[in-house]
Structures are given as structure tokens and as C-alpha cells.
Amino acid sequence: KSQPSIRRVLQLCRDNDLHVRSSLVIGNGVNNRNIGELPDFVRSIIGEYGDIIRSWGNFIQIVLPGSPVFGRFQQQAEQNGWTEVVGLYRKFNEVGYFTWTEQSRLNELFIRHTQNVDYDALVAARDQAEKIVAESPDTTGVTIEHGGVLK
């Protein structure tokens, strides 16, 4: 079954006087070609539908402890000898949690090792998308790092 496009969904919301909160998770499936399209995509959607989008989150994928991705990445790290990743998992297994700095580093290493993308370009595109949303008169930008206050 095909899925409706984001524009179709947002137009239906507008037609029915509905307002939405939206988030964009950047990570799995990203590559150097499509990461460059992210700011233009955000600019286009905010430009067309910013009046009905109350908040827009821009998030880099989090490798959540307990998720299938978390377990698979640990196996990949051990098989490939990715010592920093293995060390993060060892620390997690010893104490049962990550600090935010450790979690962020694991997220970064996941993208660097498993996605075909320049991580620094990914962060720059995320930051640019965050700035585009912040400049919107109607939409509040939300990130883990900077939070967000509804307008």
C-alpha cells in the first residue's frame, strides 16, 4: 500500500483546520546526496505549511539501549574491532546507563560506521534545518540540545 506524501497529509490537516507537531529523525538511510537536500526540504515544508506546524523537531538518530539497532551495532563493533564503540558498550554493561555525552558519541559512531554520509555534513545540515525552523514566525524548533519554547 502506498503512503501519502507529507504535503498531502499537511494539506489535509490545513483543509480540516488541524495543527500538527512534527519531527525529523536524521540517521538511518541518510547519505551524502540526500543530506544536502535536507535544508531545502525543511525550508519548502515550513514555507508552505508553517502556519499549521506548531513545532518541528530536528533530531539525530539515537541508538536506544534495548532496541534492535543497539544490539546489532554492538555485534558489528565487536566483529569489526571498533574499539571506541566496544568500550562504550562495555561501560554501559558495567553501570547500566550512558551519560548524554556517551550516548551522543555512540549515536555519532553509529552513523559514521553504518551510514554512507559525512557526519560533519549531517550535523551542518541539521543545524541549518534548525535555523530555518527557528526563523519561522509560526513554528517552534525543538532539539534535544536546545529544547524549544512554543510560540
Side-chain angles (χ1 to χ4, degrees):
K1 181 177 177 180
S2 66
Q3 295 187 4
S5 75
I6 183 78
R7 284 180 170 79
R8 173 82 175 121
V9 170
L10 290 170
Q11 188 59 50
L12 287 169
C13 290
R14 178 181 280 146
D15 293 347
N16 290 283
D17 199 28
L18 297 173
H19 293 240
V20 298
R21 297 177 190 273
S22 179
S23 290
L24 185 63
V25 177
I26 308 159
N28 202 17
V30 71
N31 59 50
N32 286 324
R33 181 190 50 78
N34 63 22
I35 197 62
E37 299 168 359
L38 177 67
D40 290 336
F41 170 75
V42 172
R43 185 178 292 106
S44 172
I45 295 296
I46 291 293
E48 288 180 59
Y49 298 100
D51 61 314
I52 65 161
I53 301 174
R54 289 292 158 244
S55 64
W56 180 300
N58 287 297
F59 304 102
I60 293 176
Q61 181 178 0
I62 298 173
V63 181
L64 289 172
S67 70
V69 169
F70 187 83
R72 284 193 302 269
F73 188 46
Q74 182 175 11
Q75 288 176 334
Q76 283 180 293
E78 291 168 354
Q79 290 169 352
N80 291 295
W82 298 333
T83 55
E84 185 177 2
V85 178
V86 170
L88 286 168
Y89 276 100
R90 184 177 305 116
K91 189 267 182 182
F92 178 86
N93 291 330
E94 289 171 2
V95 300
Y97 65 89
F98 287 126
T99 65
W100 178 245
T101 300
E102 292 163 341
Q103 179 67 63
S104 294
R105 183 66 177 154
L106 184 70
N107 302 338
E108 175 184 345
L109 291 168
F110 171 78
I111 291 170
R112 287 187 185 276
H113 285 295
T114 67
Q115 304 302 303
N116 184 27
V117 69
D118 175 334
Y119 184 79
D120 296 326
L122 180 146
V123 171
R126 187 272 322 260
D127 291 348
Q128 192 175 357
E130 183 180 341
K131 182 178 178 188
I132 291 164
V133 174
E135 292 170 352
S136 167
D138 299 311
T139 305
T140 298
V142 179
T143 68
I144 290 174
E145 293 84 359
H146 305 117
V149 178
L150 293 177
K151 297 175 184 173

